Amino acid sequence: QVQLVESGGGLVQAGGSLRLSCAASGRTSSIYAMAWFRQAPGKEREFVARLKWNGGHTAYAESLLGRFTISRENAKNTVYLQMNSLKPEDTAVYYCAAEVGGTWSRDASLYDYWGQGTQVTVSS
């Protein structure tokens, strides 16, 4: 089992920045990749970014390239999402997820473990 705990959400004005953290515990050696997804009210869960646990290869939703950066700190088993130039449409609950199957996918259904989510609200 892998446990994921997100933190760092909050209220920020448009144009501001936030950094989300996701701390992994448990069988972290089984993790192949970690990802961030988000879900706005009334919308489906949306892929944001993913990162290979070993090697650090990353991938992003095309619409977020240049504003969002996913990174990791292995010593702390933590993955971060740095979000810059935030827009009101970035308002959502942001979820951290981990997959152990090696699929390297943006499909949320292929992720095995999920955090509880952290709210990000961007005011205009």
Side-chain angles (χ1 to χ4, degrees), residues 32-35 49-53 56-58 70-72 79 104:
Y32 179 81
M34 292 186 67
R50 65 187 189 271
L51 174 148
K52 284 188 180 178
W53 195 243
H57 183 63
T58 59
I70 188 171
S71 62
R72 62 180 177 151
V79 171
W104 186 236

Side-chain angles (χ1 to χ4, degrees), residues 3-6 22 45 94-98 113-118:
Q3 294 78 42
L4 304 173
V5 178
E6 301 105 331
C22 175
R45 194 163 295 191
Y94 283 71
Y95 296 91
C96 174
Y113 302 99
W114 291 83
Q116 80 285 356
T118 186

Side-chain angles (χ1 to χ4, degrees), residues 56-79:
H57 183 63
T58 59
Y60 295 89
E62 291 78 7
S63 62
L64 300 176
L65 272 173
R67 292 198 300 125
F68 288 18
T69 303
I70 188 171
S71 62
R72 62 180 177 151
E73 186 171 357
N74 284 357
K76 295 184 177 181
N77 285 332
T78 298
V79 171

Side-chain angles (χ1 to χ4, degrees), residues 14-31:
S17 298
L18 279 176
R19 189 179 78 159
L20 306 182
S21 300
C22 175
S25 61
R27 291 191 60 192
T28 57
S29 61
S30 67
I31 296 173

Side-chain angles (χ1 to χ4, degrees), residues 54-123:
N54 293 312
H57 183 63
T58 59
Y60 295 89
E62 291 78 7
S63 62
L64 300 176
L65 272 173
R67 292 198 300 125
F68 288 18
T69 303
I70 188 171
S71 62
R72 62 180 177 151
E73 186 171 357
N74 284 357
K76 295 184 177 181
N77 285 332
T78 298
V79 171
Y80 303 100
L81 184 69
Q82 178 68 43
M83 305 184 294
N84 298 328
S85 302
L86 283 162
K87 304 175 182 179
E89 51 263 44
D90 294 319
T91 295
V93 177
Y94 283 71
Y95 296 91
C96 174
E99 64 114 337
V100 302
T103 59
W104 186 236
S105 173
R106 62 173 59 200
D107 184 344
S109 69
L110 297 178
Y111 282 76
D112 304 284
Y113 302 99
W114 291 83
Q116 80 285 356
T118 186
Q119 177 70 47
V120 172
T121 303
V122 184
S123 63

